[in-house]
Amino acid sequence: MRRRKASLSGTNLELTGDYNQRLVYQAVRVRGPITRNALIELTGLAKPTIAGIVRRLLGSELVIETSRIFGARGQPAVHLEVNPEGCYSVGLQVDNDRLDLVSIDALGNPVSRGVITRPASSGERAKTHFRTQYLKLTEDIRRDRIIGLGVAMVGSVSRDGRHADPGDGDIGIDLLALSDVSPGVPIYIDSALAAATAGESLFGVGASLQSYYYILMGPKPVGGLVAHEGLFKGAHPETKRYLFPGAEPAWCRQAVAADRMAPLPACEEAWLAAAAADLIPLLTSINCMLNPGGVLLAGRFPDGWLTRLAERCNTLLLASAPEIPSHAGIQPARLARDATLIGAASLPMRARLFPIGEALLKAHDHVG
């Protein structure tokens, strides 16, 4: 059966007015600067619908008018662009030994960063440290434009949604207590992999791909298929997507350790050979079974190591499996090192501003 090509086409159904607004906002973000007439052609929405949506977006300052196009006759056409200061989001990455924070603008650009290293085993002390960093992180932006706090978990969240347990470290944090730091700001929680793919789909290479397989490197690499701008979570979303279940490959541990060195060491041939040897069978299966539009590598590995690894895997895959009908290009993700952190900050934006399938449901799952 032939698959239909994804498009930005919308609908005029009354119950999907919010979805249409998300659709137009996404079109302005991806194709801007863009005129109202171009939006009509791109989305398939009626002229009065576009006029009303643009009016609301301008009123909320999510979108701004910029240059004008002067034609041979008639009124000059006005260009529309996303306002970088129209909204902000805060991301929190809960890791085994630290809490990383970032604030980003509407275009995904980091505004400020903070880190809390092993604050204490006390949840109350962790909350105090978080409050201090949060206030510092947001002192130079309008807090009334913060649309949410995204939390990316390396570990797990308890069933009541209150306690975030990273698993192997000392940091545990009461997620509901975080809402006291910034009342009224909703909190969106997801796994590190889901957050990383959300960020890449909104602000990275993934924005130009209809589907891709995403590999998040670390001591225990995880991966998943992203299609229609969302991570396919399967029948059991809470389960880990380990590429090597029950194992911590030596080359992964070596890269994670190398990333903490100063100066960063060069990528050695022995490391490349070991990593590629483990990945090639997986990449062959991914190509055969999933046929993604690309394979993206991300994670806190030293600068340049993922690029070298992608190049080596591309070469070996073509040589070792020439009979595969198609080879998905392997490349580093744009948000490679900051994938999880920027991804965490992307969760509120994805949930509240972008035309995802969940936007057609009654509500999003969030704490707050």
Side-chain angles (χ1 to χ4, degrees), residues 129-207:
H129 280 70
F130 175 78
R131 176 185 289 108
T132 301
Q133 286 292 336
Y134 180 89
L135 294 176
K136 182 179 179 181
L137 204 70
T138 59
E139 63 184 0
D140 294 328
I141 62 177
R142 286 181 53 179
R143 292 189 178 127
D144 62 325
R145 292 193 177 183
I146 298 175
I147 64 172
L149 166 65
V151 181
M153 294 299 309
V154 173
S156 59
V157 181
S158 62
R159 290 188 176 182
D160 62 4
R162 296 189 63 92
H163 186 72
D165 177 12
D168 300 322
D170 294 335
I171 295 180
I173 191 165
D174 188 337
L175 295 175
L176 287 180
L178 297 184
S179 62
D180 297 338
V181 176
S182 184
V185 175
I187 302 174
Y188 298 84
I189 309 164
D190 218 324
S191 68
L193 177 61
T197 58
E200 193 65 30
S201 290
L202 294 185
F203 305 119
V205 178

Side-chain angles (χ1 to χ4, degrees), residues 319-362:
S320 63
E323 70 281 0
I324 296 179
S326 63
H327 292 77
I330 306 162
Q331 62 181 307
R334 180 184 173 193
L335 306 178
R337 286 184 53 79
D338 285 334
T340 305
L341 182 57
I342 300 296
S346 302
L347 292 174
M349 291 194 176
R350 182 179 186 273
R352 301 190 65 180
L353 294 176
F354 292 91
I356 56 177
E358 292 94 325
L360 297 176
L361 303 178
K362 290 188 295 184

Side-chain angles (χ1 to χ4, degrees), residues 51-251:
I53 290 174
V54 169
R55 185 165 56 250
R56 291 194 296 272
L57 291 174
L58 289 171
S60 63
E61 299 184 37
L62 287 171
V63 166
I64 54 177
E65 293 181 335
T66 54
S67 58
R68 293 175 177 265
I69 302 175
F70 290 87
R73 41 180 199 169
Q75 293 294 323
V78 178
H79 271 134
L80 301 168
E81 292 184 8
V82 166
N83 179 12
E85 300 178 356
C87 67
Y88 298 92
S89 181
V90 176
L92 169 64
Q93 179 180 345
V94 182
D95 216 328
N96 290 336
D97 59 353
R98 56 192 276 175
L99 304 177
D100 287 278
L101 296 97
V102 69
S103 60
I104 63 173
D105 64 20
L107 297 178
N109 301 311
V111 177
S112 55
R113 297 170 182 262
V115 62
I116 306 170
T117 304
R118 292 189 179 276
S121 58
S122 166
E124 186 61 33
R125 186 165 173 77
K127 175 184 171 182
T128 299
H129 280 70
F130 175 78
R131 176 185 289 108
T132 301
Q133 286 292 336
Y134 180 89
L135 294 176
K136 182 179 179 181
L137 204 70
T138 59
E139 63 184 0
D140 294 328
I141 62 177
R142 286 181 53 179
R143 292 189 178 127
D144 62 325
R145 292 193 177 183
I146 298 175
I147 64 172
L149 166 65
V151 181
M153 294 299 309
V154 173
S156 59
V157 181
S158 62
R159 290 188 176 182
D160 62 4
R162 296 189 63 92
H163 186 72
D165 177 12
D168 300 322
D170 294 335
I171 295 180
I173 191 165
D174 188 337
L175 295 175
L176 287 180
L178 297 184
S179 62
D180 297 338
V181 176
S182 184
V185 175
I187 302 174
Y188 298 84
I189 309 164
D190 218 324
S191 68
L193 177 61
T197 58
E200 193 65 30
S201 290
L202 294 185
F203 305 119
V205 178
S208 62
L209 298 173
Q210 291 189 25
S211 67
Y212 60 92
Y213 195 89
Y214 191 93
I215 297 177
L216 183 61
M217 297 295 188
K220 297 180 179 180
V222 292
L225 177 68
V226 180
H228 307 296
E229 299 184 356
L231 176 68
F232 177 70
K233 296 188 176 183
H236 304 284
E238 71 281 358
T239 58
K240 290 283 188 178
R241 316 291 185 82
Y242 292 125
L243 299 185
F244 310 102
E248 290 188 18
W251 58 271

